Amino acid sequence: MTTTPVAGRTTTVAARATDLSKIYGQGETQVVALDRVSVEFRQAEFTAIMGPSGSGKSTLMHCVAGLDTFSSGSVRIGDTELGSLKDKQLTKLRRDKIGFIFQAFNLLPTLTALENITLPMDIAGRKPDKQWLDTVIQMVGLRDRLSHRPSQLSGGQQQRVAVARALASRPDIIFGDEPTGNLDSRSGAEVLGFLRNSVRELGQTVVMVTHDPVAAAYADRVVFLADGRIVDEVYGPTADSVLDRMKRFDAKGRTS
Ligand SMILES: Nc1ncnc2c1ncn2[C@@H]1O[C@H](COP(=O)(O)OP(=O)(O)OP(=O)(O)O)[C@@H](O)[C@H]1O
Ligand SMILES: [Mg+2]
């Protein structure tokens, strides 16, 4: 795996985008969704991505996660260059190395919580590591709900199933696009606390898009996007410092 020195220590890079551009359409209708973005996501680090609506957050996440193609530049997950992969290899990489948590939980209604959690591994024909699965279930606090179907669970519980599903296969990196966007603040705090624990205690790497400064404060760093570019980065964010930074966007326009 690639390593890079950060502030005197050596860390492993879980994913990296270099000069990444994504352009939709042509001529007058052309939209530059990402404009030569370079960013690293280090192992065992929790990164939040913030920025105004339309600034390219989802596009960046989808391109780095191999869910979307890009126009130029490169993306690496670990040591693997995504551009060099054929469709089948990309599908396998997504399945084996990446976990996803979406705003809509994407649970299958006919399966129990436990079956939903292990579904990606079942599809891949992989046996879940029992001890690990147990750790994950314990951490999300779903032990007494494992045989419930999604319709029998609260929104927060469903989202915790989605979080457990993303963690269960021990992916190299987890991407969440507004994973707490549909939750009340208490359930949201539970899910965020759990994500942070998975980083601190289990060494998981998490990248999360959010509009919420309180959610961003759970992360180790916040990357700010505006008009398809990274315009700032904050380490050790607090809700206040994030809010302050967002206000400056409004005062100075999007390219401060
Ligand atoms: N399929 C598409 N065709 C054309 N333009 C697109 C397409 N998908 C996204 N865009 C444009 O790319 C830009 C970035 O979109 P993106 O979804 O990444 O924004 P975002 O930061 O996630 O916004 P939000 O906070 O509203 O979710 C936007 O201007 C959007 O209109
Ligand atoms: Mg989005």
Side-chain angles (χ1 to χ4, degrees):
M1 249 193 190
T2 330
T3 57
T4 184
V6 180
R9 64 197 167 97
T10 302
T11 47
T12 304
V13 175
R16 166 184 284 151
T18 308
D19 284 332
L20 183 66
S21 290
K22 170 83 180 178
I23 297 164
Y24 288 108
Q26 283 181 337
E28 283 190 5
T29 60
Q30 180 173 299
V31 175
V32 181
L34 291 178
D35 188 3
R36 288 161 292 162
V37 169
S38 295
V39 65
E40 282 179 359
F41 301 111
R42 289 175 281 274
Q43 208 173 58
E45 190 171 68
F46 187 174
T47 305
I49 299 178
M50 300 194 83
S53 179
S55 57
K57 303 180 297 294
S58 297
T59 306
L60 175 62
M61 178 167 285
H62 291 167
C63 288
V64 175
L67 287 170
D68 203 352
T69 58
F70 40 92
S71 308
S72 61
S74 68
V75 173
R76 293 174 84 96
I77 298 282
D79 281 339
T80 309
E81 185 84 46
L82 294 196
S84 69
L85 299 181
K86 302 202 170 68
D87 274 359
K88 253 193 171 166
Q89 296 170 306
L90 191 60
T91 305
K92 188 171 175 338
L93 176 123
R94 271 201 309 261
R95 198 181 65 198
D96 296 343
K97 308 250 183 202
I98 301 175
F100 297 100
I101 310 163
F102 297 102
Q103 191 173 358
F105 320 129
N106 293 333
L107 301 180
L108 287 188
T110 55
L111 300 184
T112 66
L114 182 61
E115 287 163 348
N116 267 290
I117 291 170
T118 57
L119 181 66
M121 282 177 288
D122 294 340
I123 290 173
R126 278 167 59 194
K127 273 217 161 12
D129 173 339
K130 271 210 143 164
Q131 213 178 338
W132 175 253
L133 193 58
D134 210 54
T135 305
V136 169
I137 287 166
Q138 183 65 30
M139 217 187 227
V140 290
L142 283 170
R143 190 164 308 287
D144 58 350
R145 292 286 185 282
L146 289 177
S147 57
H148 287 59
R149 293 184 206 291
S151 62
Q152 301 167 321
L153 298 169
S154 73
Q157 289 167 340
Q158 290 180 55
Q159 189 61 309
R160 282 187 272 149
V161 172
V163 171
R165 178 182 57 190
L167 276 164
S169 63
R170 294 198 121 154
D172 289 0
I173 186 163
I174 290 180
F175 292 99
D177 198 347
E178 301 189 50
T180 55
N182 278 332
L183 301 179
D184 65 57
S185 57
R186 191 171 151 267
S187 310
E190 271 175 23
V191 167
L192 289 161
F194 175 63
L195 283 175
R196 185 170 59 188
N197 280 350
S198 75
V199 172
R200 299 267 161 86
E201 291 167 24
L202 313 173
Q204 184 62 59
T205 308
V206 176
V207 181
M208 164 183 82
V209 169
T210 182
H211 284 281
D212 177 5
V214 174
Y218 281 80
D220 298 311
R221 78 166 167 157
V222 182
V223 171
F224 292 93
L225 274 180
D227 292 331
R229 296 194 191 127
I230 290 179
V231 292
D232 207 355
E233 209 174 335
V234 170
Y235 281 87
T238 62
D240 284 341
S241 69
V242 171
L243 199 58
D244 263 4
R245 186 61 191 87
M246 284 164 71
K247 279 185 192 145
R248 277 199 279 144
F249 275 119
D250 298 340
K252 289 192 187 172
R254 291 182 168 188
T255 50
S256 75

